[in-house]
Amino acid sequence: MPRADVNNLIRAQFMPHIWCPGCGHGIIMHSILRALADLQIPKEKICISSGIGCSSRLPGYIDACTLHTAHGRSLAFATGIRMANPDLTIVNVMGDGDGTAIGGNHFIHACRRNIGVTAVLMNNNIYGMTGGQASPTTPEGAMAATAPYGSIDPTFDVCKLAAGAGATYVARATVANPAQCTMFIKKGIEHQKKGFALVEIVSFCHTQFGRKNKRSRPQDNLEWLKNHTVSIAQAEKLTAEELKDKIITGEFVNIENAREYSDRYNDVIARAQKA
């Protein structure tokens, strides 16, 4: 059976996109499009929400129900959409700053509630759109506009944060492996009936991050990702020292018997009606 055509989900009138040539976010958008097309979801049943930042321009290019919201608040909007219409497939895209800094509170509570949303966190380790400031995922020692001598802040492990907060599906891939990105996004979307899915995709910003950290070309960043990525199985065989600067990819959480928040909320409605 031939794969579905992603062109049916693209708003061609808004091309070319605003991202820098070679930006990893284009790979992520293609993975999202491919996942939606492969799952054969009607576009009127798809909702793509986002906040503010480079990543958040993505919904404008997808021909579905889309929502461009406030900085860090997209998961609050996505939660409302899910509660109002639980039949929709909701994909919420966030940047690392958008999702874990100003939006960190909404992020942990979306995980805690286990609301049926697939959050794709596009992690390029920097605030790309607003000038290259350090974000909560900027590696220690990396240069940024707000850390000209190297960042000293410890970084968030986004997947551990999501798992600890209660997300029932958690996975990580990098843009150096687009097929894995697509696979995890598909599984995250299929998990929505069971609850909150976090798919972190490690991307890159060669313009704001790369130029300050000796990775100024897209190919430099892709090569770096390939050389610094290990699977969960590989990571189990390595020491803490060997895992330094490594990106661990794979599925970290997949709870099959989880119960989604809006489904549990229906029980409250039923009890109220009986009362």
Side-chain angles (χ1 to χ4, degrees):
M1 180 178 177
R3 303 186 79 179
D5 186 1
V6 299
N7 292 321
N8 294 330
L9 289 169
I10 295 175
R11 289 172 173 155
Q13 68 270 31
F14 297 127
M15 294 295 179
H17 56 66
I18 69 156
W19 297 315
C20 300
C23 176
H25 285 0
I27 297 172
I28 300 174
M29 184 171 76
H30 182 265
S31 291
I32 292 172
L33 289 167
R34 176 58 66 195
L36 293 169
D38 284 356
L39 291 170
Q40 298 284 293
I41 302 170
K43 62 177 66 178
E44 63 272 14
K45 291 291 185 179
I46 300 168
C47 181
I48 314 289
S49 55
S50 70
I52 298 295
C54 291
S55 63
S56 300
R57 299 302 294 268
L58 186 149
Y61 306 124
I62 296 181
D63 189 14
C65 304
T66 57
L67 195 64
H68 192 182
T69 76
H71 196 196
R73 315 300 181 211
S74 58
L75 280 172
F77 284 85
T79 296
I81 294 165
R82 178 71 182 181
M83 296 300 291
N85 190 347
D87 291 331
L88 291 176
T89 294
I90 304 170
V91 178
N92 185 84
V93 295
M94 307 180 289
D96 44 292
D98 182 45
T100 65
I102 191 170
N105 198 42
H106 295 296
F107 179 61
I108 60 174
H109 290 296
C111 295
R112 178 179 68 89
R113 291 188 178 102
N114 196 37
I115 189 76
V117 171
T118 302
V120 178
L121 194 141
M122 301 159 72
N123 182 4
N124 60 8
N125 303 131
I126 203 79
Y127 282 94
M129 179 172 281
T130 56
Q133 301 93 328
S135 83
T137 65
T138 299
E140 288 187 65
M143 306 299 178
T146 51
Y149 302 104
S151 176
I152 63 169
D153 290 358
T155 59
F156 268 142
D157 183 319
V158 177
C159 288
K160 286 183 179 178
L161 178 64
T168 51
Y169 182 85
V170 180
R172 178 190 291 128
T174 81
V175 293
N177 190 342
Q180 190 178 55
C181 294
T182 301
M183 177 180 69
F184 288 155
I185 293 170
K186 284 173 66 175
K187 294 185 78 171
I189 291 171
E190 291 173 325
H191 186 83
Q192 280 190 26
K193 294 296 183 183
K194 303 181 183 77
F196 189 82
L198 181 277
V199 181
E200 179 192 4
I201 301 182
V202 182
S203 184
F204 59 84
C205 176
H206 56 285
T207 301
Q208 297 287 12
F209 182 88
R211 287 189 300 185
K212 296 180 179 69
N213 292 281
K214 299 180 181 179
R215 300 208 303 265
S216 60
R217 302 179 303 166
Q219 56 267 43
D220 298 331
N221 291 274
L222 286 169
E223 196 63 32
W224 190 93
L225 287 172
K226 290 177 182 178
N227 293 334
H228 289 79
T229 298
V230 296
S231 67
I232 293 174
Q234 291 172 319
E236 290 172 351
K237 301 174 184 177
L238 300 177
T239 66
E241 184 63 29
E242 290 171 327
L243 282 173
K244 187 179 180 181
D245 297 330
K246 294 294 190 293
I247 300 166
I248 303 173
T249 59
E251 281 185 343
F252 301 94
V253 179
N254 188 0
I255 301 175
E256 292 289 346
N257 62 349
R259 195 166 179 218
E260 193 269 331
Y261 183 76
S262 61
D263 186 34
R264 288 186 285 120
Y265 197 81
N266 286 334
D267 293 346
V268 177
I269 295 173
R271 289 198 299 271
Q273 289 173 336
K274 285 181 181 180

